[in-house]
Each structure stands twice: as C-alpha cells, then as structure tokens.
C-alpha cells in the first residue's frame, strides 16, 4: 500500500513559497510516478491549497478543534496537538503544524480510491465534511470511496441527541471519588424510545486489570496511561455504575441540534483507537469530553478556563454556563433503590428480607401469607434485589439461582398493586458548593488570640453543606492553613496532603465499614511549646443513621507522629473517635469526642462542637469550640470562620 | 437500525436449531438466567477507574467480542437478551421497566403496542422463564411464540 500523504507532502514548504509553480511541479512529479493520481487531480489539489492559503484556513477554530490543537504551554505562540498518535495526522509534522496538516489532508483526501476503509476519506470523516463546507462546490470531485466499516458503524450509532452523563461519587474507590463524566448519544425519541440502547462515549485510560488502585493513581498522575475513546451500549454503563459500583447516575440532555450531534459522531469516528496521553487530574475523561462538545458546536469555549485540574462536577458547571443543559434526570443505583424500598416496608417485617433470600419456602408459610398483599410484594422484591445485590460480580451458583428464581416467580404471581415509591431525588451535584475553598478565621486558643487564612484545593468536608454531595463522605486533597498570633509572625498551622473520611451507615441489609485516613503537618501544643509535627493517622469503625439526616460514628484510630517534643523520633499512638453529624437544611452540626494515647505517657483528649451555616451556595460561616486535655495542660479554643467556595 | 437488528434476531430465532448458539459460544445466547453479570467482577478495577481492560473498543461497531463476526446477527456483538436477561426477567415479573422496554424496542414493537408487550410478557412469565436454567436463546424463542399468539404483537414476528 502506498501512502501519498507523507511522500510529497514533506515538500510542503514549497506550497508556502511558490504556489503558482506548484501545479507544474506536481504535474512533472506525477509524470515520473504515473500510478499516483492524475495530473488533473494534482492541479485541483494545488488549486485547493492556494485557496486554503489565501484564507489561512488552518487558523479557523474548528480546524483546531478537529485536530485537538492547543497553544503550547511554554512558548504560547505555536500550536501542538494533544493527540499522541501518528495515524491521526496526514503530514509528518502534523502534530505541531496546523497548516501543513491542513494542506496534507486536502491532498490525502484526493488519494486514489483503491484504499477502501483505509482511505483518508474514510478515516477523517469530519475533516472531509468540514473542508467541503469551506470550499463550497469545490470538493465534490473527491474520488468516490466506499467506506464500508464507517457506514456499518453509523448504522449502529445513533446521532440525534447528546446527553451528558455523570455517575456520582463513590468514595470507596479512590480513583472515582470525584465522580466521572461520559456522553450518551441518543436516537430520535419517536424512532427509538430506549436509552438503554443508546451509545455511551467514554474517555478512559487503558488500565491493565492487574494494576491496583494506588498504582493507577501514580501512573495516572504521571501520564503513564494512554487514553482512548470507547463506545459501547449505554445499558453496559448502567450495569457498571448502577449495579456493580452502586453509584447513582445523573443525566443531562444537551440542546444540540441533530446536525450538531451528527458532527460530533463524525469526529468521534476519527478518534477510533487513537491514543491520547491520559492524566488523572487535567487531561482526564472530563476534559476530553468537553473537546468533543466544542467540535459539535464550534465557538463554545469549555476548555480554556481550566488550570491544574479538571474535576468532573466542575465540567458540568462549565457546560451549564455555556447554556447547553436543558434538563436533568436521576437514575438511582441498586443500593439506593433497595434502601428506599426498605423504608417503605414496616420495620417489623424487615427480618423477612434476609430470611427469604435464604429460604423462599417461607413464602407459603401462614405468617407470611397474613401480610397485606401490597406489602408482600414489596418484601419479595426487596428480598430478590438483596440476593442479587449480594451476588453481584460472583460466578453463578445453583443455590442462589434457584432461590432467585423462586422469588422472581413469586413476585410475578403476586396479584397486587405496585405501591413502591421511587427514591427521593437529591439536589443536583453541580448545585452543591464549588470545589475549592478559601477560609478566613478569627479565634482564641489557650488564651492567645489569632487570625488564620486557609486554602483547600478540593473537595468537600463533613461539616460543609452536604447538598449535592455524597452524605458522610469527606475528601480533602491539599489544604493549607496559616496562623498569625498576636506579637508573633505568621506560621504554618496545618498542611493536609490528604484527608478522606468515609462514613457509610450500617442498615438492616448492609454492614459497610467506615474509615478515615489523613496525613500531613499540624501544629500541636507539646510540653508547653507549639511544634509543627508530621503525622499519618488512620482508623476504621462503624456508622449508623439513627434518624434521617443524622449519622453517628465510632472509629478506632492509629497514629504515627514525628514530634520533637517527644522522646522517640516517631511516636505511635492508639485512639478513639466518636461523633455525630446532624444536617439541617442549611446548617450542619458536628459533635465529636476523640483522643489518642501515645506509647510514651503523652495523651490528648478532645471534645469538639462545630456548626456550619450555609449562607448561600458558595458562602458559609462556621463556629468551632474545642476543649483539649493533655498530661500537663488543659485548654480551650474557639474559632469563627468565614468560608468561600470557588472553582 | 431497529428494523435491521430485530429482523435478523427474528431470523435467528425462527431458525429453530439452537444446538450451536448463534455467533459462537461466547456470544451471550448460551447465557443462563442469573449469569449475565458474572463477568463484571473481574473488570471491577478497570471500570471503577474509568478505564477498560483489554482492547480499546468502539463497542457497538465490530461485533467481534467473542462472537463470530457476523455483523448484524447480534446486537453489538452480543445478544441483547443475553446481556440484560437478569434485568429483563425482573421487569417481566413486575410487568414494567426499562429492560422490558429495551427488548420491546429491539423487537421493533411500535410505541403504541409497548404496553401490550409489557402486559403479555408479564402474563406469560412462566412460559418465558420456565426454570432458573433457561438460556437467552430459549427465552428468545419463547418470546417469539408468545408474541405470535397475541393478535396485536404477532405482526412483529413475521
């Protein structure tokens, strides 16, 4: 097979200098290589090049969108494509030369028509269409190529509407703590009518299944994974997120016209199996999807405002600000559905759920048949769902298959009205507070007044307003706090690298572990002096929900502390952390008793009361009162804080 | 697309002999009830990290994931019912749901007949799902029979 693209296009500098002579040059060139394209074609290509140069077409925004050109971060003067795959370019220097790539693309589209699916017309469907639009009537004479694979693909892929999909937070897997975004392409409603059959478009790293999560995080940060676009049936994503991972899904239809949606699909094909570098924080799943949306509707700017990190929920905000979102739908996970079902069953009947999932013969017992039939239906459904939930991800076994089948048969036979109410729809995630936080505090500790300034880079604390977030899930990555005490200079008070606190209440059906891990530097009063200590602290325990909007918890903690005030270089400690969170509509109270006993004879015992008042989405006021007891000293602290959230 | 997929699936279903599952043994037709999701576990990490293990795929395109590349023979390389049989059986037991609707759409059932489809399949739960060992291919064949016996749905099964 012969690729014209790189051969004579390495001569592209000629196009710049002497356009009029170019046709002659090419004509002579092809005299010696008669099996390439005809002289007429090469004259036509030269003519188009001339037009393109006249219009400086490579400076058009959509050309940059289609080739994923971004200004080079260092020089800020020339463009470089974020695609890291030579198959994506027609010019040898296409990755960093928009002009040469454009001219080479025109030439390549006129390649002889014997390349079939490998013909540039079949590979670069969106570029072809865009160029044809730029030269009205001029490019209808491209060789007639049949793109079988592309046409087959287009028959399977809908292209009428685009919906943004946000599988919400999932704390117990570090890499999806921040949520995720993908796109769904739907057919026209009247034609199709099932989103399950829509296409899901996902950008992801090509993770090997033997990489563990930590390794993923490291490689993801350093760009060690190539990223690809992946297209599959949407029901597979529902199975993956709603069922296997227990994540609620939010769906936001966008107001793209069918023409715009179609443009995106044409470009998507160009990205098939094309490799991008994948960086967990910035060039991640969410960022790439924004680029696809920019292709669909040239002129919207969704990507330029991002700096160091792109958190998925922030991309929803950009898309909403650009006026693209028309509506929102909530698709609760299996766990949410089951928990909600449980709430509708009388507590005295809860015991049937576990029992039925072990022994369906109870269905025909006298005691069960005395229950009202509508309630029976709820119980059987809950038992069935509970059993399937427990078996998620496990290989099929005969016993549970037999029980599942009996429950399902019983469910189909209950002749009662379905009184199940769908789960309550929470506040949309993008309506929650923004993900960066600045705080300004005044306080008094151990009789000394102080002022503090703090900054948190992401994401959510237990005592921030919980609306839009996963209740009981704290993720703080990178927060720093400076304190100025009267008559002293400003000093670092606290630096948290990471602080994750996962409180998942145990219920009748689920008994998850709650846990906390945090590490960093903090100033501690030790034998009369304030010292900056380094520590790693973690623990695990249980949480319960005694009533709606309240969580109580108890954790056993372990700590390693590097403190110059201690005898040993690194001092281990054991501790306890018992507390309660209560969420009002716009206020959160936290009461906590905690303490640690070190291997030496040092100890710290604390009682904390804090209350946060959300003034609006991104402003809050918080007061904290602490009483701490140590071997040689007792002291109090009060703190008033104003907090501003932004992104 | 609807016509195409439904048409070919019907063709497959009518060809009665299921001795060899169409598209090959990994194609989903041989899946038993409560089996469809067993493969998800091992991909847990990959999926939770927004990635994919193995081939980067354009999914619905090639139809070669474990199926003989007969293109339109199956839905996106796997039979739809084989992939969503658990959800489908649950929806049939309840008489409504999105998996049930997806199957109706795949079968080419027009919007005005989908309620009938839901009702008829629900009433025939025991025929569609006679045991926990029923396979997707058998469910498909029974579904056709059930639809053929209904005056409104028979037109969708030629």
């Amino acid at each position: 097979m012969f690729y014209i693209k790189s051969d004579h296009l390495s001569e592209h500098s000629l196009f710049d200098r002497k356009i009029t002579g170019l046709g002659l040059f090419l004509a002579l060139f092809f005299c010696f290589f008669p099996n390439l394209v005809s002289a007429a074609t090469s004259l036509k290509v030269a003519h188009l090049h001339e037009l393109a140069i006249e219009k400086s077409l490579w400076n058009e925004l959509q050309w940059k969108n289609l080739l994923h050109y971004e200004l080079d971060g260092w020089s800020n003067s020339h463009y470089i494509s974020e695609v890291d795959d030579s198959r994506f370019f027609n010019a040898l220097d296409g990755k960093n030369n928009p002009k040469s790539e454009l001219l080479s693309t025109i030439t390549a589209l006129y390649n002889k028509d014997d390349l079939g699916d490998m013909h540039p017309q079949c590979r670069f469907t969106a570029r072809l269409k865009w160029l044809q639009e730029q030269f009205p009537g001029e490019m209808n004479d491209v060789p007639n190529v049949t793109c079988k694979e592309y046409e087959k693909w287009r028959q399977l892929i809908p292209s009428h509407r685009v919906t943004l999909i946000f599988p919400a937070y999932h704390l117990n897997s570090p890499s999806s703590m921040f949520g995720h975004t993908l796109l769904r392409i739907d057919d026209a409603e009247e034609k199709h009518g099932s989103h399950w059959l829509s296409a899901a478009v996902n950008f992801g790293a090509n993770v090997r299944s033997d990489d563990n999560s930590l390794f993923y995080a490291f490689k993801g940060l350093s760009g060690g994974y190539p990223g690809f676009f992946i297209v599959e049936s949407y029901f597979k994503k529902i199975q993956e997120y709603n069922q296997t991972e227990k994540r609620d899904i939010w769906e936001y239809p966008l107001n793209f016209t069918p023409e715009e949606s179609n443009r995106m699909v044409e470009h998507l094909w160009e990205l098939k199996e094309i490799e991008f570098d994948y960086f967990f924080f910035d060039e991640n799943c969410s960022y790439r999807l924004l680029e696809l949306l920019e292709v669909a509707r040239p002129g919207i700017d969704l990507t330029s405002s991002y700096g160091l990190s792109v958190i998925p929920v922030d991309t929803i905000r950009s898309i909403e600000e650009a006026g693209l979102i028309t509506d929102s739908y909530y698709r609760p996970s299996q766990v949410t559905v089951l928990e909600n079902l449980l709430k509708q069953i009388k507590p005295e009947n809860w015991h049937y759920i576990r029992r039925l999932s072990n022994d369906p013969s109870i269905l025909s017992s006298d005691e069960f048949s005395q229950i009202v039939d509508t309630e029976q239906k709820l119980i059987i459904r809950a038992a069935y769902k509970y059993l399937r939930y427990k078996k998620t991800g496990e290989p099929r076994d005969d016993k549970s298959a037999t029980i599942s089948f009996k429950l399902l048969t019983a469910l189909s036979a209950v002749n009662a009205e379905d009184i199940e109410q769908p789960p309550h729809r929470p506040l949309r995630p993008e309506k929650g507070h923004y993900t960066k936080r600045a705080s300004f505090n005044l306080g008094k500790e151990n009789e000394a007044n102080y002022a503090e300034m703090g900054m948190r880079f992401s994401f959510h604390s237990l005592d921030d307003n919980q609306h839009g977030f996963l209740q009981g899930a704290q993720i703080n990555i990178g927060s720093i706090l400076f304190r100025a005490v009267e008559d002293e200079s400003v000093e670092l008070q606290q630096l948290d690298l990471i602080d994750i606190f996962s409180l998942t209440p145990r219920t009748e059906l689920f008994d998850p572990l709650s846990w906390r891990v945090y590490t960093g530097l903090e100033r501690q009063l030790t034998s009369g002096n304030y010292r900056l200590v380094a520590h790693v602290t973690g623990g695990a325990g249980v949480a319960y929900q005694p009533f709606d909007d309240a969580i109580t918890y108890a954790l056993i903690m372990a700590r390693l502390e590097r403190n110059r005030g201690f005898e040993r270089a690194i001092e281990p400690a054991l501790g306890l952390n018992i507390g309660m969170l209560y969420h009002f509509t716009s206020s959160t109270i936290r009461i906590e008793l905690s303490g640690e006993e070190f291997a030496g004879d040092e100890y710290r015992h604390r009682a904390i009361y804090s209350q946060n008042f959300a003034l609006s989405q991104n402003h809050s006021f918080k007061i904290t009162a602490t009483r701490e007891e140590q071997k040689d000293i007792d002291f109090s602290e009060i703190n008033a804080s104003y907090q501003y959230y932004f992104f | 697309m609807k016509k195409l997929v439904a048409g070919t699936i019907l063709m497959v279903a009518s060809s009665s002999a299921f001795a060899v599952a169409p598209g090959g043994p990994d194609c989903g037709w041989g899946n038993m009830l409560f089996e469809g999701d067993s493969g998800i576990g091992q991909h847990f990490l990959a999926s939770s990290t927004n990635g994919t293990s193995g081939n980067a795929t354009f999914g619905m395109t090639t139809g070669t994931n474990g199926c003989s590349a007969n293109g339109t023979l199956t839905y996106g390389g796997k039979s739809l019912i084989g992939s969503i049989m658990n959800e489908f059986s649950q929806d049939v037991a309840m008489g409504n749901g999105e998996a049930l609707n997806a199957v109706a759409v795949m079968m080419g059932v027009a919007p005005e007949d989908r309620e009938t489809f839901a009702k008829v399949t629900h009433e025939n739960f025991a025929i569609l799902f006679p045991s926990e060992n029923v396979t997707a291919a058998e469910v498909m064949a029974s579904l056709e029979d059930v639809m053929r016996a209904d005056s409104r749905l028979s037109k969708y099964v030629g």
Side-chain angles (χ1 to χ4, degrees), chain A residues 153 156 193 211 231 331 396, chain B residues 33 45 59-61 98 101 132:
Chain A
W153 184 72
L156 288 171
D211 283 358
V231 182
R331 190 183 282 279
R396 183 183 195 271
Chain B
L33 195 54
L45 176 80
M60 301 157 105
T61 65
E98 284 191 284
N101 188 50
E132 64 269 35

Side-chain angles (χ1 to χ4, degrees), chain A residues 67 69 79-81 89-102:
Chain A
L67 273 295
Y69 286 122
Y79 283 90
I80 183 157
S81 172
F89 304 101
N90 290 297
L92 278 180
D93 59 348
K95 185 174 165 72
N96 42 33
N97 191 337
K99 176 181 178 181
S100 133
E101 177 59 26
L102 186 125

Side-chain angles (χ1 to χ4, degrees), chain A residues 28 40 82 85 121 134 155 170 178 201 203 225 260 285 291 362 391 411 436 481 488-489 504 528 604 620:
Chain A
L28 285 171
E82 294 180 337
D85 196 322
Q121 281 185 42
Q134 304 312 303
Q155 280 193 329
H170 176 51
F178 297 111
V201 180
F203 181 79
Y225 289 114
E260 288 170 326
C285 56
E291 290 186 326
I362 296 169
K391 294 292 165 190
L411 187 62
K436 296 190 179 81
L481 181 68
E488 284 178 42
S489 56
T504 317
R604 299 182 193 122
S620 75

Side-chain angles (χ1 to χ4, degrees), chain A residues 1-234:
Chain A
M1 201 171 285
F2 193 90
Y3 290 97
I4 283 176
K5 54 174 188 186
S6 47
D7 270 26
H8 68 174
L9 258 293
S10 52
E11 312 282 345
H12 66 88
S13 56
L14 265 174
F15 302 132
D16 306 8
R17 277 186 270 126
K18 213 175 174 190
I19 298 309
T20 43
L22 188 65
L24 182 65
F25 167 79
L26 284 175
L28 285 171
F29 183 88
F30 289 114
C31 288
F32 295 100
F33 300 95
N35 55 343
L36 291 177
V37 290
S38 72
T41 303
S42 53
L43 282 170
K44 180 57 185 284
V45 167
H47 170 63
L48 289 170
H49 282 185
E50 221 167 309
L51 290 178
I53 290 168
E54 225 165 78
K55 293 167 111 177
S56 299
L57 215 49
W58 55 89
N59 286 330
E60 291 290 320
L61 176 67
Q62 186 68 346
W63 183 250
K64 289 169 194 157
N65 287 343
L66 287 172
L67 273 295
H68 299 261
Y69 286 122
E70 293 288 335
L71 270 178
D72 178 1
W74 301 104
S75 69
N76 232 20
S77 62
H78 77 273
Y79 283 90
I80 183 157
S81 172
E82 294 180 337
V83 174
D84 202 27
D85 196 322
S86 61
R87 292 170 300 168
F88 189 66
F89 304 101
N90 290 297
L92 278 180
D93 59 348
K95 185 174 165 72
N96 42 33
N97 191 337
K99 176 181 178 181
S100 133
E101 177 59 26
L102 186 125
L103 299 179
S104 299
T105 300
I106 293 174
T107 313
L109 293 172
Y110 278 88
N111 276 2
K112 268 184 84 176
D113 56 5
D114 55 357
L115 296 170
D117 287 311
M118 287 307 293
H119 195 282
Q121 281 185 42
C122 301
R123 297 267 297 101
F124 306 113
T125 39
R127 284 182 222 177
L128 170 64
K129 194 161 173 199
W130 182 77
L131 283 167
Q132 283 176 325
E133 286 164 8
Q134 304 312 303
F135 304 117
E138 291 272 5
M139 278 184 76
N140 298 335
D141 58 348
V142 287
N144 193 7
V145 181
T146 312
C147 305
K148 279 190 201 140
E149 272 187 37
Y150 175 64
E151 279 159 22
K152 203 164 93 186
W153 184 72
R154 286 305 303 258
Q155 280 193 329
L156 288 171
I157 298 290
S159 61
H160 194 77
R161 268 154 51 94
V162 178
T163 302
L164 174 72
I165 308 293
F166 179 71
Y169 314 111
H170 176 51
L171 197 60
N172 285 324
S173 163
S175 38
S176 45
M177 289 182 303
F178 297 111
H180 176 55
T181 47
L182 55 144
L183 295 177
R184 189 182 72 202
I185 315 172
D186 305 320
D187 239 324
E189 210 66 30
E190 57 281 11
K191 183 178 159 203
H192 219 166
S194 171
H195 289 154
W196 278 47
L197 305 179
S198 293
V201 180
N202 205 6
F203 181 79
N206 203 359
V207 183
R208 291 158 42 129
S209 44
D210 53 350
D211 283 358
N212 65 31
S213 249
L214 259 183
F215 190 57
Y216 165 81
F218 175 74
K219 270 180 100 175
L221 290 173
S222 59
Y225 289 114
F228 295 93
F229 278 98
I230 299 139
V231 182
E232 58 199 313
S233 298
Y234 185 57

Side-chain angles (χ1 to χ4, degrees), chain A residues 334-355 375 377-383 385-386 419-423 505-511 545 548:
Chain A
Q334 287 305 298
V335 172
T336 308
V337 168
L338 190 46
E339 292 283 7
N340 176 62
L341 197 52
L342 191 64
K343 282 182 194 159
Q344 297 171 57
I345 295 169
K346 292 196 182 91
E348 67 260 31
N349 290 330
W350 283 357
H351 65 98
Y352 283 116
I353 298 170
R354 275 184 198 252
R355 284 171 60 203
E375 173 98 352
K377 193 167 181 174
L378 294 177
I379 296 170
I380 300 171
R381 186 161 159 76
K385 280 192 163 294
Y386 174 62
I419 57 164
E420 184 186 348
Q421 295 296 314
R506 298 162 90 87
T507 63
E508 174 69 16
L509 298 179
F510 304 109
D511 22 51
Q545 188 155 35
D548 278 355

